[in-house]
Amino acid sequence: MTPAPIHIAGERLMLDPAGVLVWPARKLLVVADLHLEKGSAFAATGRLLPPYDSRETLQRLALALRRWRPARIVALGDSFHDAAGAARLPPAEATALARMLGGAELVWVLGNHDPVAPDGLPGAAVEELAEPPFVFRHEARPGRIPPGEISGHFHPKATMPTRCGGVTRPCFLADAWRVMLPAFGAYTGGLSVTDPALAGLFPRGARAFLLGQERLFSLPLAPSRARVA
Amino acid sequence: MGTLPEPFAAWFAGRGWTPRPHQLALWRAAAAGESTLLIAPTGGGKTLAGFLPSLMELAQAPRPGLHTLYVSPLKALAVDIARNLTAPVAEMGLPISIETRTGDTPQNRRARQREAPPNILLTTPESLLLLLASPEAGTLFAGLGAVVVDEIHALAGTKRGDQLALGLARLARLAPGARRVGLSATVAHPEPLRAFLSPTGAPEAVRLVQVKGGAAPELEVMLPEGHLPWGGHMGLASAPEIYRRLRGAKVTIVFVNTRAQAEMIFQALWRLNDDNLAIALHHGSLTVEQRRKVEAAMAAGKLRAVVATASLDLGIDWGDVDQVIQVGAPKGVARLLQRVGRANHRMDEPSRAILVPANRFEVVECAAALEAVRHQELDGDPPRPGGLDVLAQHVLAMACAGPFHPDDLYAEVTRAAPYAALTRHDFDDVLRFVEDGGYALRVYERFRKLFRDAEGMVHVRDQRVARQLRMNLGTIVESPLLKVRLRGGPVLGEVEEWFISTLLPGDSFIFAGQTLRFEALDAMSAIVSRGGEGDPRVPAYAGARMPLSTWLAARVREILHDPRKWRLLPEPVREWLRLQRARSALPEKDGLLVESFPRGGRWFLVAYCFEGRLAHQTLGMLVTKRMERLGYGPLGYLATDYVIATWSAFEPTDVEPLFDEDILGEDLEEWMAESSMLRRSFRHIATIAGLIEKNHPGHEQRPRQMTMNADLIYDVLRKHEPDHILLRATRQEAAGGLTDVARIGKLLARAKGRIRHLRLDQVSPLAVPALIEEGREWVAGGAEDALLAEAEALVAEATNGAEIFNEVLADVTEGIRVRAGVVDKPRHRDRPRRSRFIRSMKTAGGA
């Protein structure tokens, strides 16, 4: 796996093809939209999806943690699919989560799906985390902002035209002010970067980094006024 | 029992009719309480034969309550039959009530029908299952005397047929005395239909009444006056000739093969319509009201022609149709005869029909079909086992009807022919799936849909489960659809969501017979306005193309092999074959012709196997897997009835190993599991089985990006519980429908040492029609990442790696506007076509 460096607000950040962002200077790893226990949330409404999504998501996260060995992990909200999700996390998965932290500090930024702190799990919950020059929040704040916002929420995906047709992948989105992470959860779908809700946050255009098996593929996106929203 | 009782005898005499022998035969069978399968050509008075015994019983002993249940594959047909039945009943003054019940029946009438059921109820398999799923089913059906299944040949062997067979098995328990009547068009193999209808699953329990003959149809092939197209299935080149034929006939049905084709032909005919003939359009994506309007106008004799898809295939009586035109290849002999039978709905006069092939291959296909009709040979598929997904839906429905014991339900479902060989193990797994998902990891105890009491009886948990079932019942899985709505106006119909996703505001497309301008997308519909400029596109629909019957494919192969048979073909086609012989070679009888050539930035490989599309699907997977291993970077492949075509990033130089017998030995299963085809099967199965819902209470307006992606579920389930019942069902379907391994083995053995590989500079004449086919399969693997890298590098090169170049690059990349799976088209095509296959998103965080 080859991560890609980007520079924002004078700092160097690494984008990992697994879908996590790392701030090496602070040994900090960011992951967005885990949507743990989405399967059981659906099951509660009669849709009995395979109950392996949390296990799958955490196994993938464990691999990323082993690669980077961060001191601090920031989960950018919607870590659980619903407010009761943390309580439904099977004991085996909760134990696995505690073990994979390996002494690292865990920060739960709260999201719209999980507006309350997860009970009985390690880590502290915050509405947003300010760590100058960066601010880590669930949903990007529209309009002009100072450089250095790291967010999730939108599950961005992009389609790159190739000589054999378009290839669609989840992606990071970045401009000089913001970085947006792809959703990490096993059952999370994506929202196209051409959607007005997303394009509007990057009025001066952006760069999409599509997730590949071993590396990222970068795709420039036009300013939203030039693109058809 | 040679003469009918009054008032029937008088009614027949009044119209100058005498009862036909098969009508009397069905009466005799009914009197003996026997079930009967009636096979008769169109126009044989089939429907009346099916109902006559019921009418006589009810005339003799009038009674309240349900006496006869009629099931048809089409809502419109049920409505039509009700109308046709009401007339004689009124004329004879019989005290018999007749009503329909379909998805379109208003809520209040449904409630009333449950309280006071009519004597004769006409319905569809879906509506029947809904009735059977209600707790009142026992009372409703207790007095049932007869079940009539119409167009049974169109149901047996499909998932809807599976559903109906299970419903019939339940009816047999609620009303053991009810006899069954099956009505079928002429088929090649009546035995499976008898078994399908049989209360025991054995064909012997059903009496067979077969009406032979009818006048032989008069068929001709019509070619366009100008250039005969190389490829495409639209047949637009023949529009002037079609129009001329419309003018020369009273009423014409123009049958086409796909909805997109219906739109195009309709537009083309109207452009030529200087005489202002009343020409209408009828296909499954138009709104119900629109279709009813067309049907009514047709019945009232107000139309000169209607352009229709399979939506008009089945038995609705259109009165005075005197001409049928089939545009595009007929694909199967039985289907062709069914369509031809729409003209002259009388048995003793020949039906007239005109075949209009759209391209050169289709000309050969039409010639083959004509030969087959002349020899009175029909095609047909052998029966396949019933789907486990359909069974899952049925199990839940039966639980909603009332508690059951698993032993009893197992005994009941195995009396339905499609499930006669169902193992108890599979049944139990399906039941467990319905109960709590059936996962090895048993964490859904709290969310069970069913529970078992101390006696082992299975109960449904609550009413919400029943409501969910009702909202999602059915076995027809469509791609996600979007309504098309005129700005400030009505809904025109529905198109597949992926198609809209390829449009930009301002793009125009053809739908519902008009050119529309796409304006915007709101929560659940595409907003359009009339008019629009530029070259309009045409929505295509996934799965719309009909596979050619393999049997007809064999006849095509014979004609190609044997230049002496070319006399059956018109000159332009002979010329085409001669051109193929000159530029490349003709496929030989025992060898295997393989061509390779570069085109549009990739390498194509075309193998002329003639084993039918289903075998080619599997072979395509195996060949591309070997190509992957040899480093050719396969990107996708396509299976037609005649050939497989693959395309790859690099030139396939060594062709022999691709068709070596040992490709069968490689881990076939794992490779297949990755294929887009199995993913598609899984999506269908998961939807029918109830894992993914089409509708969820309170969630009708879900934002689209939140709908659950079947691909993600498939990946997680395959990794963590590969033996889950739904994955087994997916593999079973693939094995039944696609993997004809023995057949492929024979082909490979035959081709060994006889592969003739021709490296061409360009596409060969014979390969052109194949390359314009739809229905591509994608190859999973490294190739996609390689392409991404290439595209990225291209962009970087074009911009010298500058950091701020968004606008420049947007111009570059958006100027390309490539669509997944598009193959370069020959220049003389009527319209630019785009692929109907848009790649769905892969696993999040794929690594």
Side-chain angles (χ1 to χ4, degrees), chain A residues 48 52 163 207 215 218, chain B residues 439 601 721 784 790 792 805:
Chain A
L48 303 171
Y52 304 106
R163 69 176 153 110
R207 187 172 271 273
R215 51 167 288 208
S218 119
Chain B
Y439 302 105
E721 194 171 340
E784 212 180 73
E790 204 181 86
E792 184 195 53
F805 49 77

Side-chain angles (χ1 to χ4, degrees), chain B residues 351-383:
Chain B
S351 305
R352 276 170 58 208
I354 300 158
L355 306 185
V356 182
N359 65 47
R360 288 155 196 243
F361 241 122
E362 290 193 353
V363 175
V364 185
E365 225 177 288
C366 286
L370 251 54
E371 246 200 330
V373 170
R374 234 190 329 271
H375 292 96
Q376 301 205 323
E377 289 175 52
L378 294 172
D379 38 14
D381 294 320

Side-chain angles (χ1 to χ4, degrees), chain B residues 95-420:
Chain B
I96 297 172
S97 54
I98 300 166
E99 287 181 28
T100 59
R101 185 189 182 97
T102 69
D104 299 339
T105 307
Q107 198 57 48
N108 55 352
R109 197 190 312 164
R110 287 189 210 193
R112 190 169 48 69
Q113 283 173 346
R114 267 201 297 273
E115 306 234 317
N119 294 135
I120 298 178
L121 182 67
L122 301 103
T123 188
T124 59
E126 289 78 14
S127 291
L128 171 61
L129 184 56
L130 276 174
L131 282 172
L132 289 171
S134 83
E136 305 100 57
T139 8
L140 178 63
F141 292 108
L144 190 69
V147 187
V148 180
V149 182
D150 203 354
E151 308 280 3
I152 193 169
H153 61 283
L155 284 167
T158 67
K159 289 199 175 183
R160 290 182 85 205
D162 295 346
Q163 187 178 50
L164 177 60
L166 291 167
L168 290 175
R170 171 49 61 108
L171 278 176
R173 233 177 68 177
L174 300 177
R179 62 193 163 77
R180 300 177 183 178
V181 180
L183 309 175
S184 169
T186 315
V187 289
H189 315 292
E191 286 309 286
L193 289 189
R194 276 172 87 185
F196 180 86
L197 194 64
S198 165
T200 60
E204 300 76 41
V206 172
R207 188 193 288 199
L208 179 65
V209 176
Q210 233 170 335
V211 180
K212 290 277 179 215
E218 287 170 11
L219 303 175
E220 58 172 307
V221 175
M222 182 172 77
L223 299 182
E225 235 158 50
H227 173 79
L228 177 60
W230 287 81
H233 297 284
M234 291 296 178
L236 292 178
S238 293
E241 285 78 12
I242 297 172
Y243 182 69
R244 218 169 297 141
R245 296 294 189 127
L246 298 190
R247 281 198 316 203
K250 282 205 297 284
V251 184
T252 307
I253 301 182
V254 181
F255 275 116
V256 298
N257 289 334
T258 63
R259 285 172 255 187
Q261 192 187 4
E263 295 277 356
M264 303 276 289
I265 290 286
F266 179 72
Q267 292 262 324
L269 290 178
W270 267 99
R271 270 198 295 275
L272 298 166
N273 196 358
D274 296 330
D275 306 286
N276 247 326
L277 304 181
I279 305 174
L281 175 67
H282 192 285
H283 64 68
S285 289
L286 301 176
T287 58
V288 177
E289 301 80 62
Q290 253 174 310
R291 278 182 273 160
R292 293 292 166 277
K293 238 170 33 194
V294 172
E295 287 158 17
M298 191 83 179
K302 289 184 192 149
L303 295 180
R304 285 293 292 279
V306 58
V307 179
T309 59
S311 59
L312 280 193
D313 261 7
L314 298 176
I316 301 167
D317 194 345
W318 292 117
D320 286 332
V321 177
D322 57 342
Q323 175 174 265
V324 164
I325 299 180
Q326 161 72 37
V327 188
K331 294 296 160 198
V333 179
R335 195 167 92 113
L336 173 65
L337 288 178
Q338 176 96 15
R339 288 187 158 187
V340 169
R342 312 305 327 134
N344 259 342
H345 219 146
R346 277 183 298 277
M347 221 168 65
D348 28 17
E349 290 174 29
S351 305
R352 276 170 58 208
I354 300 158
L355 306 185
V356 182
N359 65 47
R360 288 155 196 243
F361 241 122
E362 290 193 353
V363 175
V364 185
E365 225 177 288
C366 286
L370 251 54
E371 246 200 330
V373 170
R374 234 190 329 271
H375 292 96
Q376 301 205 323
E377 289 175 52
L378 294 172
D379 38 14
D381 294 320
R384 44 169 262 297
L388 296 177
D389 48 350
V390 181
L391 180 62
Q393 199 180 78
H394 185 75
V395 165
L396 185 58
M398 293 307 100
C400 291
F404 63 79
H405 195 282
D407 294 352
D408 298 337
L409 189 60
Y410 176 67
E412 182 184 313
V413 302
T414 49
R415 280 194 287 273
Y419 296 91

Side-chain angles (χ1 to χ4, degrees), chain B residues 701-740:
Chain B
Q701 298 281 316
R702 255 177 310 170
R704 277 180 305 280
Q705 71 268 25
M706 292 306 172
T707 53
M708 183 47 74
N709 185 330
D711 269 1
L712 301 177
I713 300 171
Y714 180 74
D715 287 331
V716 168
L717 188 56
R718 205 156 65 81
K719 179 165 167 194
H720 294 273
E721 194 171 340
D723 202 39
H724 188 262
I725 181 76
L726 288 193
L727 293 179
R728 288 199 336 250
T730 305
R731 287 192 291 264
Q732 181 198 313
E733 192 169 294
L738 307 168
T739 322
D740 202 347

Side-chain angles (χ1 to χ4, degrees), chain B residues 356-482:
Chain B
V356 182
N359 65 47
R360 288 155 196 243
F361 241 122
E362 290 193 353
V363 175
V364 185
E365 225 177 288
C366 286
L370 251 54
E371 246 200 330
V373 170
R374 234 190 329 271
H375 292 96
Q376 301 205 323
E377 289 175 52
L378 294 172
D379 38 14
D381 294 320
R384 44 169 262 297
L388 296 177
D389 48 350
V390 181
L391 180 62
Q393 199 180 78
H394 185 75
V395 165
L396 185 58
M398 293 307 100
C400 291
F404 63 79
H405 195 282
D407 294 352
D408 298 337
L409 189 60
Y410 176 67
E412 182 184 313
V413 302
T414 49
R415 280 194 287 273
Y419 296 91
L422 177 74
T423 65
R424 182 63 196 248
H425 174 68
D426 278 351
F427 174 82
D428 284 338
D429 279 359
V430 167
L431 176 57
R432 275 197 49 213
F433 165 75
V434 179
E435 286 181 285
D436 65 356
Y439 302 105
L441 186 68
R442 315 217 60 158
V443 290
Y444 286 165
E445 190 54 41
R446 260 172 308 166
F447 308 129
R448 304 181 69 87
K449 288 184 179 176
L450 309 178
F451 65 90
R452 301 189 194 207
D453 65 20
E455 274 90 53
M457 299 291 281
V458 178
H459 301 250
V460 70
R461 188 190 61 201
D462 56 25
Q463 275 313 299
R464 198 180 60 175
V465 174
R467 197 166 72 236
Q468 245 171 303
L469 171 77
R470 279 197 296 274
M471 289 184 71
N472 290 284
L473 190 134
T475 58
I476 301 169
V477 181
E478 302 230 25
S479 303
L481 294 174
L482 270 182

